[in-house]
Amino acid sequence: MDYQNILVSKNGAVSIITINRPKQLNALNKQTISELNSALLAAENDSSVRVIILTGSGEKAFIAGADIKEFASFSKEQGKALSKEGQDNLFNLVENLTKPVIAAVNGFALGGGLELAMAAHIRIASDNARLGLPEVSLGVIPGYGGTQRLAQLAGKGKAMELITTASMIPSEEALKIGLVNHVVNQENLMSFSLKIAEKIIQNSPFAIQSALKAINSNYVDGVDGYKTEIDAFGNCFGTEEFVEGTTAFLEKRKANF
Ligand code: DAK
């Protein structure tokens, strides 16, 4: 499929999806959200893809937020409808993919950009990255899951402070508060992200998919995460991957998943 605002490439079993609007600091407009939706679904349905990396084009920005030019004229109804549509088609989609998504945050990750990184399963930031949810400075609040996911990752107090002050924080501070998993030099960002992906790829895809589901279930209203874990654990038994993993251990060799 031809995309205008994103680039899709493959490195072994890793699909690398790059938001490619560097002149607008990769701001997320409707078209980009729709292209990301298609590329993510294609990666999900491609059995040769085991991990997805999301990143931004250029050295300045991962994504500097939702496209302000586009949403500046929205009405109350449009805002609500688009928030739901965006959450369903991109942010919740990323969180609930069966394959791990790594956000390689290569610069500004603001507003919707940080919200997308937070929907990913793992975040690696470059040393020049700056992260924040500045929506209240524009008269709105985070509308793509940011009020929920920032509190989940960094705690309620930090979420309250970062959102109400509209502050941008450097990647080292994001690391301290648990908002990102690692900080690396910008030139090493992709190789480091690929290294994490390679480690993931050594393991059972079915077990990984089950673990993602069980971890996420703690954050779904009305769902008992322990119960989800018990069911997901049970479902791993009897799979070919379980047989391969345990047999490989007993035969003192590496499992081949
Ligand atoms: N949208 C559109 N264009 C943007 C942009 C954005 N978010 N961020 C940057 N750009 C554009 C700039 O307008 C500029 O374009 P030209 O003027 O050259 O045409 C170009 O990118 C380069 O930006 P700067 O010249 O400003 O670059 P600087 O290095 O001076 O500054 C900056 C970098 C990241 C500090 C600055 O660009 C900046 O403050 N950007 C805006 C950050 C921001 O406030 N982002 C939006 C957060 S609010 C919704 C759901 C969710 C949301 C909205 C609606 N609905 C469901 C309806 C979420 C909202 C947000 O994300």
Side-chain angles (χ1 to χ4, degrees):
M1 183 167 172
D2 278 347
Y3 296 116
Q4 276 156 25
N5 296 341
I6 63 171
L7 305 169
V8 181
S9 64
K10 195 103 180 280
N11 184 310
V14 184
S15 172
I16 303 175
I17 303 177
T18 305
I19 295 96
N20 187 34
R21 301 181 75 213
K23 284 190 185 141
Q24 292 84 16
L25 303 187
N26 303 321
L28 276 183
N29 58 6
K30 273 179 75 178
Q31 167 81 13
T32 308
I33 290 178
S34 153
E35 291 184 11
L36 283 169
N37 170 276
S38 301
L40 288 161
L41 287 175
E44 174 81 341
N45 294 321
D46 179 346
S47 59
S48 71
V49 172
R50 304 267 298 267
V51 176
I52 298 160
I53 295 181
L54 283 177
T55 194
S57 206
E59 292 177 353
K60 200 168 164 184
F62 172 66
I63 300 171
D67 192 319
I68 298 173
K69 286 180 199 117
E70 197 178 68
F71 74 77
S73 58
F74 283 169
S75 66
K76 197 164 149 182
E77 287 70 31
Q78 276 175 309
K80 204 166 170 181
L82 285 160
S83 174
K84 175 157 179 14
E85 198 181 304
Q87 292 200 16
D88 290 347
N89 293 341
L90 180 57
F91 299 81
N92 294 345
L93 172 72
V94 166
E95 186 167 76
N96 293 311
L97 284 180
T98 62
K99 300 172 183 183
V101 180
I102 299 173
V105 177
N106 56 311
F108 288 110
L110 302 174
L114 179 55
E115 289 176 301
L116 185 58
M118 291 194 295
H121 304 109
I122 295 172
R123 284 153 292 284
I124 321 288
S126 59
D127 48 1
N128 68 325
R130 292 179 69 77
L131 302 90
L133 294 176
E135 282 86 344
V136 297
S137 71
L138 298 166
V140 286
I141 67 165
Y144 287 140
T147 60
Q148 306 305 297
R149 292 194 181 99
L150 183 56
Q152 289 165 11
L153 289 166
K156 183 176 168 184
K158 278 288 172 196
M160 290 287 189
E161 180 183 339
L162 282 174
I163 291 173
T164 57
T165 59
S167 302
M168 270 187 229
I169 57 169
S171 44
E172 283 299 339
E173 194 177 334
L175 181 66
K176 274 191 210 140
I177 65 172
L179 182 51
V180 301
N181 300 53
H182 300 275
V183 176
V184 296
N185 288 336
Q186 185 163 55
E187 69 254 34
N188 298 331
L189 179 63
M190 191 45 71
S191 59
F192 187 88
S193 303
L194 284 166
K195 238 183 239 164
I196 302 258
E198 285 309 320
K199 276 184 123 174
I200 293 170
I201 289 165
Q202 305 304 309
N203 302 312
S204 153
F206 186 78
I208 287 172
Q209 142 181 3
S210 306
L212 294 179
K213 186 176 171 193
I215 296 167
N216 276 334
S217 67
N218 181 49
Y219 302 97
V220 182
D221 261 354
V223 172
D224 178 348
Y226 291 99
K227 166 93 175 55
T228 307
E229 184 183 275
I230 290 165
D231 292 342
F233 178 77
N235 288 339
C236 292
F237 287 82
T239 63
E240 277 179 27
E241 291 176 19
F242 173 73
V243 174
E244 167 60 10
T246 47
T247 307
F249 177 80
L250 296 171
E251 291 176 353
K252 299 193 186 303
R253 62 173 173 82
K254 256 184 130 188
N256 182 17
F257 293 115

